[in-house]
Amino acid sequence: MTTARTPGRHGPLTGVRVVELAGIGPGPFAAMLLADLGADVVRVDRPGGPGLGIDPAHDVTNRNKRSVLVDLKDPDGPGRVLDLAARADVLVEGYRPGVAERLGVGPDACHARNPRLVYGRMTGWGQQGPLAPRAGHDIAYVAVTGALGLIGRPGEPPAVPANLLGDYAGGSLYLVVGILAALHHARATGAGQVVDAAIVDGTAHLSAMIHGMLAAGAWQDRRGANLLDGGCPYYGTYGTADGGYMAVGALEERFYGEFLTLLGLADHAPAHADPGRWGALREAVAARFTTRTRDEWTEVFRDSDACVAPVLSLREAPHHPHLAARGTFTDHAGITQPAPAPRFSATPTAVRAGPALPGADTDAVARDWDVPSLREDGA
């Protein structure tokens, strides 16, 4: 494995070199995770940027990376990327199928220069299939997997889970898992390979347990009728007197009993095992929660095992006492953001640098990776 000349140890992937062909969404997030884990990630930005629409200085998915500018449509552009790929362990791209090949930086061209390279491909539909060449976004990918249809109240349109379920959970995280597995194989055998990470595949895979429950007759194929989709009155959200919300997850009987006791509804204990009583229980719980504010209920359940928590906003979350104590969020360069995860006892991670600005690191990367052709790009 090649060794990046970066000072100190910043995580378990220190020494791993990654080339990221700039895009938006799940590809950059996957590369950010690799960078958070210590990899030397060089983002190949194109002139004009990827079109995300925010100031690059605030795009935290580009933290802990370095950036060079390469125009892949310039006659010398593909050669510069291949020079980087020749010195890398991993390459990440998120183009539609066939685009990287047409640009001259597809898997065959890269492996001709570096047979050990792990070539990670991030798409919504995958590299094959009738929809592979079509455009799409998170919501369409999760829709066809059945996952979107799980979320929301019965009789209402499915709720939109931002782009967390598809882009990042079903996409980025599966790409990273695939890259790490392929890196392990490359180190053992000297042979790189292509990792085809499709959001539809990863999102479908996330629903494995529910498909098992469906096959066993323990899950109904409709919204709001099951244990984990809001159909159960002791697993869901309730409004409070001040317009806030509390989240309830008192599934096990012991936790359910504590929940009802603190709520003042202990006489509803038999409803735990009797779905026929769930309607009455839901009404009673909802009415009870409206008698106090979110913060008052938070105090009631603070030191209990009732599995109840306040529903916080994005700006409130970093100030939650538990998250603050763990340092789940961190401030860097004036931006409050999630800290790297997971945590490691021997090779701790950190936000080492703010978002890489397009082209700002061209000279340093050209020197560190010994790719003098980068300096000829005019960046």
Side-chain angles (χ1 to χ4, degrees), residues 82-327:
L82 292 177
D83 286 346
L84 286 167
R87 292 158 176 78
D89 301 290
V90 178
L91 184 144
V92 174
E93 62 96 352
Y95 301 137
R96 293 198 208 187
V99 172
E101 285 83 351
R102 291 196 297 273
L103 291 172
V105 294
D108 291 345
C110 288
H111 283 142
R113 297 286 302 274
N114 181 359
R116 299 172 59 93
L117 184 71
V118 173
Y119 194 102
R121 316 197 81 165
M122 182 75 261
T123 62
W125 302 115
Q127 297 298 313
Q128 296 86 28
L131 291 177
R134 302 274 72 85
H137 280 295
D138 176 290
I139 194 167
Y141 308 139
V142 301
V144 301
T145 65
L148 184 62
L150 297 172
I151 307 169
R153 297 183 180 277
E156 298 180 7
V160 180
N163 68 332
L164 303 178
L165 176 57
D167 276 359
Y168 297 144
S172 304
L173 297 186
Y174 278 84
L175 176 60
V176 170
V177 168
I179 285 172
L180 296 180
L183 268 177
H184 176 75
H185 176 265
R187 294 184 70 180
T189 67
Q193 60 182 303
V194 176
V195 178
D196 173 8
I199 294 172
V200 289
D201 296 346
T203 305
H205 192 261
L206 289 170
S207 65
M209 182 192 76
I210 293 175
H211 275 278
M213 296 174 69
L214 184 67
W219 190 277
Q220 299 182 57
D221 196 12
R222 55 192 178 91
R223 286 193 301 283
N226 300 283
L227 195 64
L228 302 175
D229 66 355
C232 173
Y234 44 89
Y235 195 91
T237 56
Y238 291 93
T240 58
D242 58 343
Y245 293 91
M246 298 295 290
V248 177
L251 289 175
E252 292 83 358
E253 190 166 0
R254 170 187 158 214
F255 305 147
Y256 169 78
E258 189 165 351
F259 164 63
L260 289 186
T261 297
L262 290 174
L263 201 61
L265 296 174
D267 55 322
H268 284 269
H272 183 268
D274 184 1
R277 300 187 181 188
W278 281 4
L281 175 60
R282 185 188 310 281
E283 292 180 5
V285 171
R288 186 68 175 144
F289 269 120
T290 62
T291 63
R292 299 187 186 183
T293 66
R294 187 191 68 178
D295 289 348
E296 288 172 338
W297 282 119
T298 298
E299 188 62 33
V300 168
F301 290 104
R302 181 181 302 279
D303 297 318
S304 78
D305 281 336
C307 303
V308 177
V311 178
L312 302 182
S313 71
L314 290 173
R315 293 192 185 279
E316 289 176 316
H319 304 289
H320 185 276
H322 181 80
L323 304 187
R326 284 186 58 80

Side-chain angles (χ1 to χ4, degrees), residues 47-104:
L52 183 60
I54 68 170
D55 180 353
H58 290 88
D59 184 0
V60 297
T61 63
N62 285 328
R63 71 188 186 190
N64 289 338
K65 303 177 184 179
R66 299 193 284 178
S67 172
V68 300
L69 278 184
V70 176
D71 186 352
L72 279 168
K73 295 182 180 180
D74 182 88
D76 297 326
R80 295 185 178 109
V81 170
L82 292 177
D83 286 346
L84 286 167
R87 292 158 176 78
D89 301 290
V90 178
L91 184 144
V92 174
E93 62 96 352
Y95 301 137
R96 293 198 208 187
V99 172
E101 285 83 351
R102 291 196 297 273
L103 291 172

